Amino acid sequence: MKKFAAVITTLSIAAAIIMYVVGSNSGHLSELKDFFWVPIPLAVLSLIIAFSKKKENI
């Protein structure tokens, strides 16, 4: 599960960067620049999952 969360984090951050760059360069796709932040909460959530430690039962 942690590897999957790390992959989702990477893809979400890459999507946000690509949306910002494409939205900045293209006049027809300028809406992408306005909404580049949308995948960032998913990246933060999956980053928390990827670095969370499992609790041990005593």
Side-chain angles (χ1 to χ4, degrees), residues 25-43:
N25 293 335
S26 176
H28 296 291
L29 298 173
S30 62
E31 295 86 11
L32 288 175
K33 187 177 178 185
D34 297 335
F35 295 103
F36 78 95
W37 57 270
V38 172
I40 293 175
L42 177 63

Side-chain angles (χ1 to χ4, degrees), residues 14-53:
I17 292 170
I18 291 169
M19 287 172 67
Y20 186 81
V21 170
V22 170
S24 296
N25 293 335
S26 176
H28 296 291
L29 298 173
S30 62
E31 295 86 11
L32 288 175
K33 187 177 178 185
D34 297 335
F35 295 103
F36 78 95
W37 57 270
V38 172
I40 293 175
L42 177 63
V44 170
L45 181 65
S46 59
L47 189 65
I48 291 170
I49 292 170
F51 285 111
S52 66
K53 293 187 178 185

